[in-house]
């Protein structure tokens, strides 16, 4: 996995030494590595979040953009979000032979704002707001949409929409480029 200048940034997500921090350019390499192993026809993007919170809308925005690019299997879009209330049921819809790429918004340290943590491991949704949900995905991407602080729910509610929209487009564009899919 690479990032600016082809280097993985040294900062790693707290709690996991297997998550790499990268920018949108690095995301292309992340998706290319997955595409080298798995056809887009056997991949399901699980885009977690709700459109009722600006910061947490990253998942459904990303899911909708992935569909626009032509990915065949996406769960979690603006018209049909995958959130804490329906996550378990939505995961059960995914065929067992599919590879799941989980995408979620995340709060992080100031130095990570606007970057992505990626991993070849499951994602733990809603961790930054203290909700306990099952880990999901064979691969994961957590987008740092805002800075972690004492009131995570409020932070996600007041996250700038422009930042979230730009990051959702960066994820979808990188996935399309990595998998060789275009609009």
């Amino acid at each position: 996995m690479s990032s600016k200048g082809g280097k993985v940034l040294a900062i790693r997500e707290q709690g996991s030494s297997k998550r790499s921090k990268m920018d949108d350019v690095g995301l292309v390499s992340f998706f290319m590595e997955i595409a080298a192993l798995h056809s887009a026809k056997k991949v399901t993007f699980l885009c977690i979040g709700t459109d009722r919170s600006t910061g947490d809308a990253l998942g459904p925005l990303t899911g909708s953009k992935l569909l626009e690019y032509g990915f065949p299997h996406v769960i979690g879009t603006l018209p049909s979000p995958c959130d804490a209330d329906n996550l378990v049921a939505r995961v059960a819809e995914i065929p067992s032979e599919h590879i799941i790429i989980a995408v979620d918004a995340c709060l992080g340290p100031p130095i990570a704002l606007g970057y992505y943590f990626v991993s070849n491991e499951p994602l733990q949704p809603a961790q930054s707001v203290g909700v306990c949900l099952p880990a999901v995905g064979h691969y994961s991407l957590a987008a740092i949409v805002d800075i972690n602080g004492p009131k995570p729910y409020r932070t996600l509610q007041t996250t700038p929409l422009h930042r979230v929209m730009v990051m959702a487009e960066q994820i979808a564009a990188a996935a399309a480029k990595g998998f060789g899919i275009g609009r």
Side-chain angles (χ1 to χ4, degrees):
M1 291 180 233
S2 65
S3 187
K4 287 187 179 177
K7 299 177 188 173
V8 172
L9 298 176
I11 295 174
R12 303 235 182 227
E13 183 178 17
Q14 294 177 359
S16 176
S17 61
K18 297 182 181 181
R19 294 196 180 279
S20 299
K21 177 185 165 201
M22 59 184 56
D23 62 9
D24 60 311
V25 175
L27 288 181
V28 175
S29 296
F30 173 68
F31 288 119
M32 286 177 76
E33 289 175 15
I34 298 170
L37 300 171
H38 310 285
S39 159
K41 293 178 183 175
K42 291 291 185 179
V43 169
T44 296
F45 284 88
L46 181 65
C47 301
I48 303 162
T50 178
D51 61 347
R52 295 176 181 221
S53 167
T54 319
D56 207 28
L58 177 105
L61 282 166
T62 302
S64 292
K65 290 181 179 296
L66 288 165
L67 284 178
E68 288 175 14
Y69 274 101
F71 282 94
H73 306 288
V74 178
I75 292 180
T77 61
L78 286 170
S80 182
C82 177
D83 58 23
D85 294 332
N86 65 16
L87 176 70
V88 173
R90 299 299 300 273
V91 170
E93 298 172 10
I94 301 171
S96 60
E97 69 274 10
H98 275 219
I99 298 300
I100 301 170
I101 302 174
V103 177
D104 198 6
C106 183
L107 300 176
I111 195 167
L113 182 62
Y115 284 88
Y116 307 90
F117 285 112
V118 299
S119 179
N120 298 343
E121 292 185 339
L123 177 114
Q124 188 69 51
Q127 201 171 22
S128 59
V129 291
V131 176
C132 185
L133 293 171
V136 292
H138 298 93
Y139 299 92
S140 59
L141 186 157
I144 311 303
V145 297
D146 216 329
I147 298 168
N148 200 6
K151 297 180 180 181
Y153 285 110
R154 176 149 172 72
T155 301
L156 283 172
Q157 292 288 341
T158 60
T159 296
L161 179 60
H162 182 260
R163 180 184 308 136
V164 175
M165 291 178 70
V166 166
M167 293 180 80
E169 176 59 33
Q170 288 175 340
I171 295 166
K177 191 168 185 180
F179 277 92
I181 292 177
R183 286 191 218 212

